[in-house]
Amino acid sequence: MTDPERVYLAYNDAENNHDAETAAALLAPHLTVEVNGRPALSSPDDDRAANAELLRRYPDYRREVVDVMVSGDRGTIRWQMCGTPVDPDVEPLDVQGCSVVTVREGRIAQAFLYYNGAALNSVLGAVS
């Protein structure tokens, strides 16, 4: 397994296990994340806050990896997020998307996420 794939899968497993410390340890201190072409997160703390908000709204939230392609220090990951909302008036989380990540020194340093999903936009907007 190549480094970008190994690191991303470990990060994904940590998120799915609600292990914020392990997930944060797999992120570079100066992480940059763009969502659909716009700056979104700029640190492991921002990522931790976004994941905490996801879990608050969808306690059973999970991201399943569908496919991984790697070229050098960059990986492209197709995924699907699912979760049941706490609020019965909110639709379940069911978002498909793709992340392009760059891994440096064993940590995710840069990520570009692409998806179409109002529920996920709401969560990320709450921590921006």
Side-chain angles (χ1 to χ4, degrees):
M1 188 178 315
T2 62
D3 204 36
E5 182 176 12
R6 180 187 59 77
V7 171
Y8 187 86
L9 292 178
Y11 169 79
N12 194 67
D13 287 347
E15 272 198 8
N16 285 344
N17 291 324
H18 308 171
D19 183 352
E21 294 309 311
T22 298
L26 292 163
L27 301 173
H30 300 290
L31 170 74
T32 60
V33 178
E34 287 186 11
V35 175
N36 292 331
R38 296 179 182 256
L41 307 174
S42 60
S43 72
D45 286 340
D46 288 351
D47 185 74
R48 185 182 288 122
N51 288 323
E53 186 65 16
L54 261 174
L55 287 170
R56 186 185 72 73
R57 293 181 186 203
Y58 304 93
D60 64 349
Y61 149 75
R62 289 193 58 75
R63 182 177 48 232
E64 299 297 329
V65 173
V66 176
D67 191 24
V68 178
M69 294 180 290
V70 174
S71 178
D73 65 354
R74 186 166 277 184
T76 303
I77 301 93
R78 286 191 321 126
W79 46 259
Q80 179 168 357
M81 286 185 183
C82 300
T84 307
V86 172
D87 183 342
D89 295 328
V90 174
E91 292 290 318
L93 182 64
D94 185 8
V95 177
Q96 294 182 28
C98 180
S99 296
V100 179
V101 300
T102 302
V103 172
R104 293 190 186 104
E105 299 176 0
R107 294 180 175 187
I108 297 170
Q110 187 177 50
F112 301 93
L113 284 67
Y114 301 95
Y115 62 85
N116 182 11
L120 193 53
N121 286 341
S122 173
V123 169
L124 292 175
V127 295
S128 297

